[in-house]
Amino acid sequence: MFKLRLMSTLVLLPLAIAGILYLPNLYIMILSSAIIAIAALEWLRMSMPKNAYVLLFLLCALMAVAAGLIYGTNKPLWLYEISLVWWLGALIGVCYYPRYAANWKQQVYQPIIGIIMFVPAWLAFNTLHAQRSGPVLVLLGCALIWGADIGAYCFGKLWGKTKLLPEVSPNKTWAGLYGGLFTACIIISVYYIIYKPPFTIVEALGVALITFTFAVIGDLFESMVKRIYGVKDSGSIIPGHGGMYDRIDSMLAAFPVYFLCIQTLELLAEMKHML
């Protein structure tokens, strides 16, 4: 399984990096829409298997309407703020699992949860990519999430003893958490040295901390959902990695808040320049 996972990573990672850096924003929008649609279908198959395809059509239609109304406006920050509040609420649910597990099975909530999970992340990813220096910033966000995941895995394997939330995810440890955070800080420090952005290293490390924290929340939330519905993986589309939702669970939670952080730092930099 590890060899298959490694081979898939070695093939897909260079393609993802090249696509983010060199593909026009329109193609990125199309590809990211397809990825989101696949992940949404996997999630709906877990939460509402009998109505998954009908709800996927409804979810995609609502996403298209939301994108049409919001994507052309100037920085719809309120949408990302809603996402931030939702994921903080999801963290509470994760921490108290399995006490309120039955509440997550209420099917009436699933389309609303889907919109809040998938739309802000898709919009944040594509809005940032369309901006000046956007591809590099998008790649930085991905690197923080992917790198932290690798760091957490390595540190957890080497030194992981104390479990983080064993009832939600038995394999995650506190050592893995610290290792992921350490890796994220190293990645953003390298970015800071190379690109010399208009904000301080402390602010950059703050971005890494916040992005990593929400990436962990997204990962733990999916682990909780899979436990609630009794599945190992959301799908099998990626050999050795499971489903598409398995691959982007952290990004769904992290990218909206990462986008907010970048926008805030750019605004502060503009204000300092004016003064």
Side-chain angles (χ1 to χ4, degrees):
M1 178 63 72
F2 176 76
K3 290 183 178 179
L4 186 60
R5 186 185 183 100
L6 180 61
M7 289 176 61
S8 296
T9 301
L10 292 176
V11 172
L12 294 175
L13 185 59
L15 292 175
I17 294 172
I20 290 170
L21 290 178
Y22 300 113
L23 282 179
N25 188 243
L26 176 61
Y27 295 130
I28 290 294
M29 289 177 63
I30 294 171
L31 286 172
S32 60
S33 297
I35 290 171
I36 286 290
I38 294 169
L41 178 58
E42 292 173 348
W43 172 70
L44 288 169
R45 279 176 174 170
M46 287 192 297
S47 60
M48 302 187 73
K50 294 181 179 179
N51 303 310
Y53 287 98
V54 174
L55 280 174
L56 176 64
F57 175 79
L58 174 61
L59 184 61
C60 289
L62 291 172
M63 286 174 63
V65 172
L69 292 174
I70 297 170
Y71 188 76
T73 62
N74 183 29
K75 300 178 182 178
L77 298 183
W78 60 269
L79 183 66
Y80 310 120
E81 291 164 357
I82 290 174
S83 175
L84 186 152
V85 172
W86 151 256
W87 286 111
L88 289 176
L91 174 61
I92 296 173
V94 167
C95 291
Y96 280 94
Y97 177 83
R99 185 178 302 178
Y100 302 110
N103 294 337
W104 295 103
K105 283 191 174 184
Q106 297 296 325
Q107 295 195 357
V108 68
Y109 300 142
Q110 304 311 317
I112 300 172
I113 292 174
I115 291 171
I116 297 175
M117 283 202 307
F118 294 109
V119 174
W122 181 86
L123 284 174
F125 186 94
N126 287 283
T127 303
L128 185 58
H129 190 273
Q131 295 179 1
R132 184 170 57 89
S133 301
V136 171
L137 290 173
V138 166
L139 184 59
L140 172 62
C142 293
L144 289 173
I145 297 166
W146 299 338
D149 186 53
I150 295 171
Y153 177 83
C154 294
F155 274 64
K157 281 291 185 181
L158 291 172
W159 299 292
K161 294 181 179 180
T162 306
K163 302 297 182 181
L164 181 62
L165 285 171
E167 292 186 330
V168 175
S169 184
N171 294 326
K172 290 182 174 59
T173 63
W174 283 101
L177 183 74
Y178 300 142
L181 178 58
F182 174 76
T183 307
C185 291
I186 292 296
I187 289 170
I188 206 160
S189 297
V190 171
Y191 162 80
Y192 189 87
I193 293 170
I194 294 174
Y195 287 95
K196 297 178 175 60
F199 44 83
T200 68
I201 184 62
V202 174
E203 291 170 334
L205 291 173
V207 172
L209 172 61
I210 295 170
T211 303
F212 170 74
T213 299
F214 277 81
V216 171
I217 294 173
D219 190 13
L220 288 173
F221 177 76
E222 198 220 2
S223 296
M224 181 185 74
V225 169
K226 289 192 293 187
R227 282 194 166 274
I228 288 173
Y229 293 107
V231 298
K232 184 179 183 295
D233 295 313
S234 66
S236 57
I237 193 170
I238 306 175
H241 287 269
M244 190 65 72
Y245 180 37
D246 292 320
R247 289 301 88 213
I248 69 168
D249 54 358
S250 298
M251 297 182 70
L252 292 175
F255 239 90
V257 72
Y258 171 72
F259 179 81
L260 274 177
C261 289
I262 294 298
Q263 294 299 295
T264 300
L265 290 182
E266 288 181 349
L267 179 61
L268 290 175
E270 290 178 7
M271 292 174 62
K272 290 177 183 178
H273 181 73
M274 291 174 62
L275 295 175

